[in-house]
Amino acid sequence: MNEVIKAVDLTKIYNKRDKKKRGEISVNLNQVLNGVSLEVYHGDFISIMGKSGCGKTTLLKILGGIEEATTGRAIVGDINLSSCSDEILSDVRQKIVGFVFQEFYLVDSLTLKENILLPLYISNKPYREIESLILENAKRFEIEKILDKYPTEVSGGEKQRTAICRAIINEPKIILADEPTGNLDSINSEIVIKYFERLNLEENRTILMVTHDPTIASYSKKVLLMKDGAIVKQIEKENGEDKKNFIQRIVEIMDY
Ligand SMILES: Nc1ncnc2c1ncn2[C@@H]1O[C@H](COP(=O)(O)OP(=O)(O)OP(=O)(O)O)[C@@H](O)[C@H]1O
Ligand SMILES: [Mg+2]
């Protein structure tokens, strides 16, 4: 099997600058990742779980080339993100990885359609093809009727689904999704997670997804539990195991 992501002993330390105390700036070091090692193979569908603040988003951002690790190595495809040029890093972000952000990051001055179109500006696809690609994906996420609206005019769930469309429109090999159903009701969550499941099963796309929801996590094949900046447990769905049983096992490790 091919490794598509390999993380070796990643650490991340943020500097927290506090207000001047008696004329001094106090700098507190906040160690958010404490040596995370991880191997993701082509066709994996992995959920990352763990309490708020344990470092899930930070890990995903490092693997997506958005944040830099303090120490350790993050390798995506055959590119070492810790030592490659900015140009290659931006190639990774645009062509290899599709990132669904927890905070969406849609551009408010652009319509939903233009937001989805952004990653395609660098592609050589003819516009007609791009249009049908957008429509096909928008239909999948039931936002085809609001494509001409601006992000400020739509709901949180609609923004979320637009952000997912934008992340997958380039057909990236790897999808990194930070709580992709975090703002969706149960019906829309199911649409999204079933679509992810299909992308994984039918198109063999590799998916690494953060979620707090055991039901959502049960669609993936493997669950990693993070605690205090480290991966402390991992479980895999057994062959033929039904989702209910897997949910039960996920809930059990969440108490760890
Ligand atoms: N840019 C930053 N500067 C300083 N500290 C940060 C920064 N980003 C995150 N942190 C801190 O790092 C820790 C981990 O944050 P992270 O966003 O990775 O958590 P998380 O597991 O994704 O949490 P949640 O489930 O709430 O999204 C938190 O204590 C957070 O305050
Ligand atoms: Mg987060």
Side-chain angles (χ1 to χ4, degrees):
M1 277 207 286
N2 291 339
E3 259 167 27
V4 289
I5 296 178
K6 187 175 166 83
V8 185
D9 218 7
L10 292 177
T11 71
K12 179 71 183 176
I13 300 172
Y14 284 116
N15 292 333
K16 261 202 306 200
R17 280 170 194 279
D18 287 342
K19 278 181 196 156
K20 282 185 178 178
K21 283 181 194 161
R22 288 187 227 100
E24 287 170 22
I25 299 173
S26 75
V27 179
N28 293 317
L29 298 180
N30 184 13
Q31 176 132 12
V32 177
L33 294 184
N34 280 307
V36 172
S37 295
L38 172 71
E39 281 167 11
V40 180
Y41 295 93
H42 181 63
D44 268 353
F45 185 3
I46 299 178
S47 293
I48 303 175
M49 304 187 82
K51 294 204 174 100
S52 178
C54 71
K56 305 178 297 296
T57 296
T58 307
L59 174 62
L60 221 56
K61 283 185 174 168
I62 291 173
L63 299 177
I66 295 159
E67 286 273 0
E68 208 178 331
T70 306
T71 61
R73 277 183 304 145
I75 297 155
V76 172
D78 51 4
I79 298 163
N80 186 344
L81 302 184
S82 337
S83 61
C84 69
S85 66
D86 286 350
E87 223 176 349
I88 292 182
L89 207 55
S90 97
D91 255 17
V92 171
R93 289 191 215 113
Q94 286 171 350
K95 294 179 188 158
I96 302 179
V97 167
F99 206 105
V100 182
F101 291 95
Q102 196 169 4
E103 310 90 347
F104 322 134
Y105 291 132
L106 296 175
V107 182
D108 280 342
S109 58
L110 300 178
T111 63
L112 301 191
K113 184 178 177 183
E114 288 161 347
N115 267 284
I116 297 171
L117 219 145
L118 277 177
L120 292 171
Y121 275 130
I122 51 155
S123 78
N124 297 321
K125 286 195 170 81
Y127 192 71
R128 190 178 283 228
E129 204 176 303
I130 288 176
E131 284 252 281
S132 71
L133 201 59
I134 291 178
L135 198 61
E136 180 193 324
N137 278 287
K139 277 187 183 153
R140 220 162 248 166
F141 292 104
E142 297 180 16
I143 52 167
E144 77 276 15
K145 294 200 176 87
I146 53 167
L147 282 174
D148 290 328
K149 289 196 176 191
Y150 289 86
T152 49
E153 300 170 335
V154 303
S155 72
E158 287 164 342
K159 276 191 244 188
Q160 178 74 301
R161 284 178 280 147
T162 304
I164 294 170
C165 267
R166 182 186 53 189
I168 58 171
I169 200 81
N170 247 351
E171 305 184 327
K173 288 195 188 77
I174 305 168
I175 297 164
L176 301 176
D178 199 354
E179 299 193 37
T181 62
N183 289 281
L184 304 178
D185 57 28
S186 58
I187 293 171
N188 281 301
S189 294
E190 200 176 311
I191 293 176
V192 166
I193 195 62
K194 287 205 160 140
Y195 182 64
F196 276 23
E197 187 182 44
R198 242 192 49 215
L199 277 178
N200 175 253
L201 290 178
E202 292 171 15
E203 296 180 26
N204 223 13
R205 288 311 159 77
T206 309
I207 304 173
L208 198 53
M209 164 183 85
V210 170
T211 181
H212 286 279
D213 182 340
T215 305
I216 295 297
S218 74
Y219 284 81
S220 60
K221 298 170 180 165
K222 191 194 264 188
V223 177
L224 308 179
L225 181 72
M226 285 185 74
K227 194 174 179 182
D228 302 330
I231 295 169
V232 291
K233 276 220 169 233
Q234 80 177 53
I235 53 171
E236 275 181 54
K237 196 190 264 172
E238 277 156 21
N239 257 348
E241 179 173 9
D242 71 11
K243 288 199 174 76
K244 262 194 189 151
N245 202 65
F246 196 37
I247 292 171
Q248 189 66 38
R249 293 203 293 132
I250 294 167
V251 171
E252 279 163 20
I253 65 158
M254 284 169 75
D255 289 334
Y256 181 79

